[in-house]
Every structure is written in C-alpha cells, then in structure tokens.
C-alpha cells in the first residue's frame, strides 16, 4: 500500500506524455487534463498521425511556437520555466527521448481492436463509396494494421504495412508495464478512477468528445469483414487481452491509494 502511494506521488511530479491512440476516447481524456491543469499547461501536436514522426528539432520548434518564452537552448530544466504539465498527441512511445526532459510518465487508453478499426473507418471513410473490407484489402491506411502495438512499442509508422512482429508486441507489453498508467475505453469510468488516483486529479467531469455517430457495432458487421479485421490485427488483439489482465491488477493496486 505504501509503495503504491509513493508511486502515485512520484508520478504527480512528472511531465505527463499522453499517447493518444486514435478512436479510443482520447479526446475526452485530453479535455479532462485541460480542465485539471489548464489549457496552457497541455501541449497538443496537431499534425496528421499518418505522417512520419517528427525529429527532435522539429518537435522542439513546435513546442517553442506554442510556448514563446521557451529558451532557445535545450536546457534540461526547461519544464520548470514553463507551466507545461502534459504533452498530448497521436505520437508513439518515445517522445521523451526527443525532448530535454528527465522526469516523465506516459498515459494512454486502449480499445478492443476490432471495434477501434470499425470506429476509425466510419470516422474517416464512412461517407465514401469504399467498403471497409476493400480499404483493408488494399492497405489503405496504417491505422488498420495493429496500430496499438505500433504506438505503444514505439515503432509508429516506420514499419511498413503488414510487417508488425511479435518482437514489437513484446516491446509494447514491456512499455505498458514499465512506463504507462493506462485505461480501457469500454471501462472509461473505472479508467478515470485510476488516472485520478495516480495523477492526482480531482472532481473529474466526464466530457464526451469526438464521439462517432451512426456507427454500427461489430455485431452488425458481416463475419467475413470481421475476420479480415481480426487477421490484420492479431498482435493488437493479443496486446488488448494482456492489457485487460494488467488493468485488473492495477485496479487492485489503485484501491490501496487513499
């Protein structure tokens, strides 16, 4: 119990890096963080998540554009000069290595992989003439290919479509254990409880943001398409099962933080 309390207090002193996996209720979490820390304390990357991850200089320049009083040099203590509490965006694990930050902690939300792919399709492609199975078959978007493993392992979009590996899966599991406080999208209230305890949030107001409309559940999708999604996301499915078990363990630990 005491060890868990110490971990929570330690996390609350660190810069929070939010790995926002698309279509996992991450926009709602980001708004909660803005409510808690203030809008000026949350930096959000706005670029397209399908492009190559920016290098260190580009990231720092973007930060400087947001915090105009950020010093021109890369000082290890830059975080004490600005009121930056959270960095958020569709960026894979590893941003900490590109920034002059020593004390950091990652958070994220995961989602059942098949539901996430369906949600992404209707959010981006739902008004097009192309079917979901067609877009997956022609490898239209990297978001159809084990995106959660890609982001949590840190490889992001550097690995070509269809080339995700078991090594990437194991790295994602390792990072989830050692670097992340995380939640599960379909257990959102319980996830916020964990975030609140470990991040020191208070009086959290749940805000539904960027919610898909007119999106069918997986039970309404034909079996052939569901099978195609599953085959394309086997590593994500295994990661999600692993995360659900780990989430239960974290819930037990969370109850000891009072």
């Amino acid at each position: 119990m005491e060890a868990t309390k110490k971990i929570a207090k330690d996390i609350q002193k660190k810069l929070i890096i939010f790995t926002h996996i698309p279509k996992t209720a991450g926009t709602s979490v980001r708004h909660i963080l803005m409510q808690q820390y203030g809008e000026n304390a949350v930096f959000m990357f706005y670029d397209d998540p399908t492009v190559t991850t920016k290098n260190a200089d580009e990231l720092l320049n973007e930060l400087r554009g947001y915090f105009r009083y950020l010093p021109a040099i890369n000082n290890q203590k830059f975080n004490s000069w600005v009121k930056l509490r959270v960095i958020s965006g569709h960026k894979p694990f590893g941003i900490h290595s590109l920034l002059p930050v020593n004390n950091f902690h990652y958070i994220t939300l995961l989602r059942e992989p098949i539901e996430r792919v369906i949600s992404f399709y209707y959010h981006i492609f739902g008004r097009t003439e192309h079917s979901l199975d067609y877009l997956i078959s022609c490898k239209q978007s990297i978001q159809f290919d084990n995106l959660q493993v890609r982001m949590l392992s840190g490889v992001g979009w550097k690995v070509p479509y269809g080339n995700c590996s078991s090594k990437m899966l194991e790295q994602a599991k390792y990072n989830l254990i050692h670097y992340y406080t995380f939640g599960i999208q379909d257990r959102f209230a319980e996830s916020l409880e964990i975030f609140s305890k470990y991040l020191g949030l208070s009086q959290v107001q749940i805000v539904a943001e960027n919610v898909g409309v007119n999106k069918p559940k997986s039970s309404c999708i034909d079996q052939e398409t569901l099978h195609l999604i599953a085959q394309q996301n086997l590593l994500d499915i295994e990661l999600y099962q692993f995360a659900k078990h780990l989430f239960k363990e974290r819930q037990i630990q969370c109850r000891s933080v009072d």
Side-chain angles (χ1 to χ4, degrees):
M1 180 182 296
E2 291 301 321
T4 304
K5 289 182 179 179
K6 184 178 183 300
I7 291 172
K9 289 181 179 179
D10 184 51
I11 289 173
Q12 292 165 27
K13 299 176 184 177
K14 297 179 177 181
L15 174 70
I16 302 302
I17 302 177
F18 178 30
T19 305
H20 181 177
I21 300 171
K23 305 313 296 177
T24 61
T27 301
S28 297
V29 170
R30 190 184 74 248
H31 279 276
I32 289 171
L33 295 172
M34 292 170 71
Q35 290 174 355
Q36 293 290 315
Y37 299 123
E39 291 187 12
N40 291 333
V42 179
F43 177 80
M44 176 183 172
F45 291 104
Y46 288 95
D47 61 305
D48 190 324
T50 60
V51 301
T52 303
T53 302
K54 294 180 178 179
N55 63 35
D57 289 339
E58 290 173 315
L59 285 171
L60 288 171
N61 285 336
E62 192 168 343
L63 279 170
R64 291 191 185 103
Y66 189 79
F67 299 98
R68 295 184 179 181
Y69 45 95
L70 184 66
I73 59 173
N74 296 348
N75 192 296
Q76 289 293 331
K77 296 182 179 180
F78 93 99
N79 193 43
S80 66
W81 294 333
V82 296
K83 302 301 181 181
L84 181 62
R85 291 292 288 114
V86 180
I87 292 178
S88 171
H90 298 305
K91 301 293 183 182
F93 174 83
I95 289 179
H96 67 277
S97 65
L98 302 179
L99 298 172
V101 177
N102 288 327
N103 296 316
F104 59 89
H105 184 75
Y106 281 85
I107 66 171
T108 197
L109 276 169
L110 291 91
R111 184 175 184 177
E112 195 286 315
I114 294 176
E115 291 288 352
R116 195 205 68 79
V117 167
I118 294 171
S119 180
F120 171 74
Y121 165 74
Y122 280 97
H123 178 67
I124 301 297
F125 299 103
R127 296 181 181 179
T128 73
E129 60 188 32
H130 299 300
S131 65
L132 175 55
D133 55 343
Y134 169 80
L135 292 174
I136 293 176
S137 297
C138 68
K139 303 179 180 181
Q140 176 67 32
S141 173
I142 205 76
Q143 298 230 25
F144 296 140
D145 180 35
N146 294 295
L147 184 71
Q148 295 177 96
V149 165
R150 287 175 174 276
M151 294 192 71
L152 297 186
S153 67
V155 304
W157 298 268
K158 292 182 287 187
V159 171
Y161 196 110
N163 285 270
C164 294
S165 67
S166 58
K167 183 177 180 180
M168 289 167 52
L169 170 63
E170 294 308 311
Q171 185 64 56
K173 291 179 180 178
Y174 179 89
N175 291 344
L176 205 59
I177 293 172
H178 294 281
Y179 291 101
Y180 279 92
T181 294
F182 71 94
I184 302 292
Q185 189 262 0
D186 62 1
R187 300 178 69 175
F188 194 68
E190 296 165 85
S191 299
L192 287 184
E193 181 182 352
I194 290 179
F195 286 145
S196 296
K197 287 291 180 69
Y198 281 99
L199 303 184
L201 309 182
S202 61
Q203 297 180 328
V204 173
Q205 298 179 6
I206 299 178
V207 181
E209 294 282 352
N210 201 26
V211 179
V213 294
N214 300 322
K215 177 189 73 65
K217 295 288 187 181
S218 58
S219 58
C220 299
I221 306 295
D222 66 85
Q223 289 300 311
E224 185 176 345
T225 299
L226 292 177
H227 178 72
L228 182 63
I229 298 171
Q231 287 300 115
Q232 192 65 65
N233 291 273
L234 292 175
L235 298 179
D236 261 17
I237 291 171
E238 184 173 339
L239 176 65
Y240 182 71
Q241 294 302 319
F242 172 84
K244 286 201 299 182
H245 290 296
L246 184 59
F247 183 77
K248 290 181 181 179
E249 295 177 7
R250 297 279 178 88
Q251 279 188 296
I252 295 172
Q253 295 172 357
C254 180
R255 296 189 186 108
S256 68
V257 183
D258 296 313

